[in-house]
Amino acid sequence: MQIPFERIVQDHGLTVLRVCRALLDEHRAQDAWSETFLSALKAYPDLPEDANVQAWLVTIAHRKAIDELRKSQPEVLTEVLPEVEAAQSGLPEARILDRELWQALKALPPKQRFVLAYRYLGGLSYAQIAQILSGSEAAARRAGSDGIKNLRAHWKHAQMLEELS
């Protein structure tokens, strides 16, 4: 018996929103989030019970984000960070660090940015990321490694990345 779809939204909604925000500005991220769950709702009855729901949703979100980007070609990333624990703490220095990290992420090549978003915000494996990006697992690992390397080189608070790796 499948889990009620409302529970799927509750369990995975924030993850999908974080992924959308990593790829789009806030308004378009909200649109992509909504479109993701509308599409998922239609397809959910046919989803195998043993499917990885989070990976399935992130795949849909990726496609919806691409659709949003194709509608117009503005900036891929936004100044608003996905909700992270540091930002939720309310400390001004945490917000400054978040903004600086976001700027460093914006400077990454798209593939590196996508892999880091799917890996660290979406919680996907490199194999799942490779499927979404239509590449190999090795290429996804390499893009992730290069992304972390670039962040370490260009972000002045790079020691925090040691916690991610």
Side-chain angles (χ1 to χ4, degrees):
M1 177 173 224
Q2 284 189 324
I3 299 170
F5 191 76
E6 296 79 19
R7 178 66 189 252
I8 299 297
V9 176
Q10 289 173 350
D11 290 350
H12 302 287
L14 186 56
T15 298
V16 170
L17 183 59
R18 286 178 176 160
V19 168
C20 291
R21 284 180 175 168
L23 306 175
L24 301 164
D25 63 59
E26 182 64 26
H27 177 73
R28 290 184 301 162
Q30 293 289 336
D31 290 346
W33 184 92
S34 298
E35 291 295 323
T36 296
F37 282 103
L38 285 173
S39 292
L41 178 61
K42 292 175 189 172
Y44 186 63
D46 298 325
L47 187 70
E49 288 191 30
D50 63 343
N52 181 332
V53 176
Q54 183 168 314
W56 175 67
L57 289 169
V58 169
T59 301
I60 295 170
H62 168 78
R63 291 181 183 138
K64 295 303 178 183
I66 289 173
D67 290 346
E68 285 294 321
L69 289 171
R70 286 181 179 149
K71 287 180 185 176
S72 60
Q73 295 297 328
E75 187 70 22
V76 174
L77 292 175
T78 176
E79 298 298 319
V80 179
L81 271 175
E83 296 171 26
V84 293
E85 290 180 28
Q88 292 172 351
S89 71
L91 299 173
E93 55 272 9
R95 290 190 188 121
I96 291 168
L97 288 175
D98 287 346
R99 189 173 302 114
E100 292 170 353
L101 175 57
W102 197 241
Q103 293 299 319
L105 284 169
K106 281 179 67 173
L108 293 176
K111 186 170 184 178
Q112 291 175 16
R113 187 172 55 235
F114 290 169
V115 170
L116 292 181
Y118 298 146
R119 179 77 176 148
Y120 296 105
L121 299 176
L124 300 183
S125 70
Y126 287 110
Q128 293 166 323
I129 295 167
Q131 288 179 331
I132 291 171
L133 297 178
S134 300
S136 69
E137 184 175 346
R141 284 184 186 280
R142 181 62 189 198
S145 175
D146 289 347
I148 294 291
K149 181 180 175 183
N150 282 334
L151 285 177
R152 283 187 178 128
H154 300 289
W155 187 44
K156 66 181 179 179
H157 302 286
Q159 70 278 5
M160 295 178 141
L161 289 175
E162 298 303 323
E163 296 173 15
L164 289 177
S165 299

